[in-house]
Amino acid sequence: EIQVIGASRTDAGVHALCNVAVFDTENRMPAEKISYALNQRLPEDISIQCSKEVDPEFHPRHCDSRKTYEYRITRGEFPVPTKRLYSYFTYHQLDVERMKEAAAYLVGEHDFKSFCSNRTQVENTFRTVYQLDVNVENDMIHIVICGNGFLYNMMRIIVGTLIKVGLGVYPPEHVKEIIEAKNRDAAGPKSPAAGLTVVKIQYEELGEY
């Protein structure tokens, strides 16, 4: 029996340009050939990009890593059908400068208990956010966050909170109060899953994926 251990678990509807998984096997096939064999059996919306042998002690969730997520928001008068699976559509105008100001309060090490689902089972809700950028390209807002780990629904709740700031519901500095509250009810709503993508996972011993 093969047990697969993944680096990250995503909600239904969330996308991933990368993920890392390990398993033990007595198969004699060279490690770099396993990706070719598995891709013959996987559905067309999943593709293994490489396979290699790693140290037996390597664990994709317990080893030091950096994960980068991107959330896309499409603004317009009407939704574009071809973007519906990979972005969240809104016809509201969002103040991106206010969202940038609010995002700055989330950078650094904080107790992100206000930004995780009440169903989370972890005891330690402290995480470090290394980078949180909000940028605009044409009709698309890109929210990119890099951290040492993420709590259940953390990224989607952060985005939902930043959207509230962009709409003028919260002032940017209110994000600091949300962090200090350590209460899920203090933060904004969870944003839809479709706009979120895991874009990068980095390990010191393995490099970037």
Side-chain angles (χ1 to χ4, degrees), residues 71 73 143 154-164 191:
Y71 196 94
I73 302 172
I143 301 175
M154 176 175 159
M155 179 59 175
R156 293 171 62 189
I157 296 170
I158 286 176
V159 172
T161 302
L162 293 180
I163 289 174
K164 286 287 189 181
S191 59

Side-chain angles (χ1 to χ4, degrees), residues 1-197:
E1 183 178 351
I2 299 294
Q3 181 182 9
V4 177
I5 302 172
S8 181
R9 183 178 63 184
T10 59
D11 304 333
V14 174
H15 309 285
L17 297 180
C18 66
N19 205 333
V20 176
V22 298
F23 60 90
D24 296 324
T25 179
E26 296 178 356
N27 194 314
R28 296 181 181 181
M29 182 182 299
E32 63 274 12
K33 297 295 184 182
I34 291 179
S35 55
Y36 292 89
L38 290 179
N39 279 330
Q40 298 297 316
R41 295 177 175 270
L42 288 170
E44 61 181 8
D45 59 347
I46 301 175
S47 177
I48 297 175
Q49 298 301 300
C50 74
S51 55
K52 62 165 62 174
E53 186 174 359
V54 295
D55 189 284
E57 301 301 316
F58 175 76
H59 193 293
R61 290 201 299 275
H62 299 160
C63 293
D64 291 339
S65 66
R66 291 189 176 208
K67 296 177 182 177
T68 302
Y69 286 79
E70 179 183 28
Y71 196 94
R72 297 181 178 184
I73 302 172
T74 302
R75 300 179 300 174
E77 187 174 359
F78 302 106
V80 178
T82 55
K83 296 181 180 180
R84 76 188 191 283
L85 297 180
Y86 304 100
S87 66
Y88 163 60
F89 170 79
T90 180
Y91 56 83
H92 295 292
Q93 288 297 316
L94 298 176
D95 190 326
V96 175
E97 293 305 314
R98 287 168 59 90
M99 294 170 70
K100 288 182 179 180
E101 186 179 342
Y105 288 99
L106 296 164
V107 176
E109 183 182 29
H110 303 287
D111 186 342
F112 282 96
K113 189 172 183 179
S114 293
F115 295 91
C116 71
S117 170
N118 289 326
R119 291 184 293 165
T120 186
Q121 298 177 349
V122 299
E123 296 181 1
N124 181 11
T125 51
F126 278 83
R127 296 293 185 272
T128 300
V129 171
Y130 303 114
Q131 173 187 356
L132 179 48
D133 297 326
V134 183
N135 297 299
V136 180
E137 183 179 347
N138 298 322
D139 64 343
M140 186 85 71
I141 297 174
H142 301 263
I143 301 175
V144 179
I145 184 169
C146 175
N148 66 348
F150 292 86
L151 300 165
Y152 184 45
N153 292 151
M154 176 175 159
M155 179 59 175
R156 293 171 62 189
I157 296 170
I158 286 176
V159 172
T161 302
L162 293 180
I163 289 174
K164 286 287 189 181
V165 173
L167 291 171
V169 178
Y170 302 152
E173 59 271 19
H174 182 58
V175 171
K176 184 178 179 181
E177 298 175 14
I178 294 174
I179 296 172
E180 294 171 349
K182 301 177 185 178
N183 186 331
R184 170 67 188 94
D185 294 335
K190 180 174 62 177
S191 59
L196 184 59
T197 301

